[in-house]
Amino acid sequence: MQQVDFLVIGTGIAGLTYAYKMASRYPDKKVLILTKADAEETNTKYAQGGVAVVRDWQNDSFEKHIEDTLIAGDGLCNEKVVEIVVKDGPERIQELIDLGANFDKEESGDYKLGKEGGHSESRIIHHKDITGWEMERTLLNAVAGMSNIEIINHCFVVDIITQHHLGYLVTKATPDIECYGVYALNQKTNDIETILAKTTYLATGGNGQVYRTTTNPAIATGDGVAMVYRAKGRIENMEFIQFHPTALYEPGLRGQAFLITEAVRGDGGILRNKKGEAFMARYDERKDLAPRDIVARAIDNEMKTEGTEHVWLDCRHMDQEKFIEHFPNIYEKCKSIGIDVSKDMIPVAPAAHYSCGGIKVDEWGQTSIKNLYAVGECSSTGLHGANRLASNSLLEAMVFAHRCFLHVSHKVDNNLLSEHPTRKLNIPAWNAMGTSTPKELILITQSLKELQQVMSDYVGIVRNNIRLERAIKRIDLLWEETEQLYKTSTLSPNILELRNLITVGYLIVKGAIFRKESRGLNYNTDYPYKSKLIQNIVL
Ligand code: FAD
Ligand code: SIN
């Protein structure tokens, strides 16, 4: 059993930013970070386009960024949160620059600002087409320099510990559910460890792996959301899954698809259908730079109408030197599969990309469970509403990591943190009695495939009631079978991720069933209108 003051789960932008700030402020206190993979393996690492932030004070303004965010969010953003995030952005990005992050500059020395869908101005600060890697690299370096931060890799958090583990009945109606720490599977020893903390901070990222193809890496299995749901915390707006319009189409590919950043369209790339028509003009006056929900739906419609598995992204007319300078990673990836972007169009199709909903938090990142915070893609702050504006995610993670840091520091400085859990409680060790290694791994891999199939076929870009009802029935069955297996199995990342993904799938479908309207990313042909009642779906 370990005890720490500050426990952080996840080594993406949300986890590392907070950990670094806490460790710097309290050099005599330990910050423990757990991650289930190598530290760098995060959604953050794969971010391409950049960070939306107002810097061009001549043409841009906070008001414009706020308005663009609200328009994309389709009536469901929390306006106060939008204002907080947009206005805090410049200071947060400056902190990262001060830590050594390099963003591309003009010859004048000003930062280059890219454009993406739904943005009325150029405001995307970036590092070529590997912005996320530059941010991850910077933060990992910073954290490595802190002697009071320990990162444990390959340590899979299974569940958060609450009164439930002390034998009390905990339901959604229980007031003051409290988090005492986590149970985590140390993948090196195969032991389930008990780690207790005064504050626990979830930064577990997204859940793209619940779909057949996704821009997200294998770690994106919605673990944080599933854990909080099991612990009876509040989850909201899970139906708003953002499909990125332009993932590289590679025949037969399952799992992580390579992204072709929206910034390519920002620099002039044009979407074309099988006939070569630049079709976006038929769907929206903003054409290829309309918000993502509109572009993804348009592509989906073109693919279904023409019976194709992809559309084309045409970059042949673009200045090739500039293309290679801004998008070297995309250029190389295309080249590696025989696509010369100066002569060939790039085959692209939508893929699951971002979870706009998640663990419900207040404006300081506090969840509905005491001493438990959630930041980054696993959280739902109200910034994104029904559809996230491009490049607002890294921004949100930085701003909320900072706000959590302020909130927890205030508690520390004023002696408001709860007493250490072990002082008053007798928290039991994990009980693995009666479990054994599953004999057939196929029971797990096949169920995962089924889940991804159901989600992609029935709960994709366009939904309807029959599909959703079918999906929930099949997910219920998968859940029953997997719970059985879970109870009798020695724990492994495979079974834990399957279980979490089934929970996440269930929450997405339930949210979509309860939302009897088409808004933002939830497009249901049985309700092709917006309801007058604007509400968050909280589960
Ligand atoms: P992540 O960076 O995903 O980190 C999650 C961490 O939690 C990982 O370390 C993981 O191992 C750990 N973890 C998860 N579950 C457990 C568990 N059970 N136990 C222990 N550890 C666990 N956003 C933008 O704003 N701009 C962009 O240009 C952009 N481009 C993108 C391109 C791609 C291809 C993708 C996939 C996303 C992009 N996004 C972009 C979205 C953005 O990158 C993510 O939303 C953001 O990085 C999420 O950061 P995070 O810290 O919340 O989670
Ligand atoms: C992209 O670069 O197109 C992704 C940006 C984002 O998800 O915000």
Side-chain angles (χ1 to χ4, degrees), residues 213-230:
T213 52
T214 170
T215 61
N216 295 188
I219 54 106
T221 53
D223 300 353
V225 167
M227 280 183 240
V228 171
Y229 185 69
R230 281 197 291 273

Side-chain angles (χ1 to χ4, degrees), residues 7-24:
L7 176 62
V8 176
I9 321 297
T11 48
I13 186 161
L16 295 179
T17 305
Y18 169 82
Y20 178 74
K21 283 173 180 263
M22 291 307 293
S24 308

